[in-house]
Amino acid sequence: MSQLPLPPATRTLGPGGVAISPIAWGMWRLAEGGRSAAEAAKLVHAALDAGITLLDTADIYGFSGPRPDGTTGFGDAEALLGEVLAAEPALRGRMVLASKGGIMPPLPYDQSAEYLNAALDASLRRLKTDCIDLYQIHRPDILAHPQEVARVLDDAVAAGKIRTVGVSNFTMPQIAALNQFLGNKLVATQPEISPLRIDCFENGELDQAMMLGLTPLAWSPLGGGRLTSESNDRERGVIAELDRVAAEQGVSRSVAAYSWLMAHPAGIVPIIGSQQAERIAEGAQALTVQWTRTDWYAVLVAARGVPLP
Ligand code: NAP
């Protein structure tokens, strides 16, 4: 049976760019539940000790709306990581730090030069670092001219505030436009991809990523947790195919799901969303799971809900 290649030990952000682990850890949920800096540090260690070096956050992570004390939670996830880094500065050199900006809380989006410059400086302050390795525009601001956005990002690179530039939730034309004005310097795109969210496999997004040399970072690789609790026929079908391969290869369903994404030739980097140390560390097992072409397509077909043409 035709075997797909195992993922490589490292990938890069853009061709010849910053080396990253082929699987990442995300901190969307880090500031939930009043987690202390010591508890957050344990999760950072769990990721790094498992060889997961790409750590993804955003300025809006932690935002939950107005609270009685006047705060909103905006910036809380970055601030918590900043506390971890302040307590243990050596951790900074072990990670490739990714963050995002461009959403003006709660909404809408703002990528005017004034807003974006201020947002980046605020992220750097909260993270207690002088440079973000991958700065991503979180969601596209339809009212911002991509040339203006590109200029802000170019200036930030020149000033040493960010090393590389990425986008998230952009359409393909939006990616092409910003990349054009950036002189092809985009290195990453972050769409939602999971065995339950398969649009990008057939709508051209991953083909564009390969063409432009963008590393696709998959957000919510377990469908935000839906893959861990089945609720409808389609989900049951996908889970059955993942579980079959998971059992054969002695890994969990989550690991099978990550590895399924990683088997795609675009070099998808799934962002683990768990905030439990064992589950974060377990994610690294995805590097050992090898898919056959037949099993890979069986998951896709279950997710499509209709046979291949
Ligand atoms: P996910 O991996 O799809 O879902 C994680 C959720 O599943 C957690 O609540 C986790 O709970 C739960 N879960 C239940 N059983 C699990 C198991 N066996 N293994 C692992 N997780 C299990 O990812 P996500 O949190 O939705 O998103 C991942 C990352 O993507 C975020 O942290 C963020 O960096 C990024 N993201 C980006 C965007 C964007 O617009 N760019 C949007 C959403 C997310 P426990 O914590 O209890 O394990």
Side-chain angles (χ1 to χ4, degrees), residues 25-30 32 35 56-58 61 100 103 136 138-139 168-169 190-192 194 218-226 228 252 254 258 271-276 279-280 282:
W25 176 55
M27 287 166 273
W28 177 24
R29 305 166 195 269
L30 184 69
E32 283 174 10
R35 190 171 275 112
D56 181 67
T57 186
Y61 291 172
K100 316 181 195 75
I103 302 180
Q136 302 154 101
H138 205 149
R139 285 186 179 274
S168 184
N169 305 301
Q190 188 179 137
E192 181 180 4
S194 77
W219 66 258
S220 291
L222 303 180
R226 274 184 302 132
T228 59
S252 70
S254 313
Y258 304 141
I271 310 174
I272 298 170
S274 178
Q275 306 297 306
Q276 296 193 36
R279 288 179 175 173
I280 297 168
E282 182 197 36

Side-chain angles (χ1 to χ4, degrees), residues 212-295:
L212 300 179
L214 309 180
T215 303
L217 310 178
W219 66 258
S220 291
L222 303 180
R226 274 184 302 132
L227 263 184
T228 59
S229 58
E230 51 200 88
S231 66
N232 58 38
D233 281 351
R234 174 175 174 258
E235 291 178 6
R236 270 188 286 279
V238 172
I239 284 169
E241 294 300 340
L242 288 172
D243 281 353
R244 198 168 45 74
V245 172
E248 276 167 23
Q249 305 213 25
V251 295
S252 70
R253 181 190 303 163
S254 313
V255 168
Y258 304 141
S259 67
W260 184 76
L261 298 176
M262 291 159 82
H264 189 277
I268 296 172
V269 174
I271 310 174
I272 298 170
S274 178
Q275 306 297 306
Q276 296 193 36
E278 326 75 60
R279 288 179 175 173
I280 297 168
E282 182 197 36
Q285 293 174 15
L287 274 78
T288 66
V289 179
Q290 194 159 21
W291 283 82
T292 65
R293 192 169 285 275
T294 307
D295 287 341

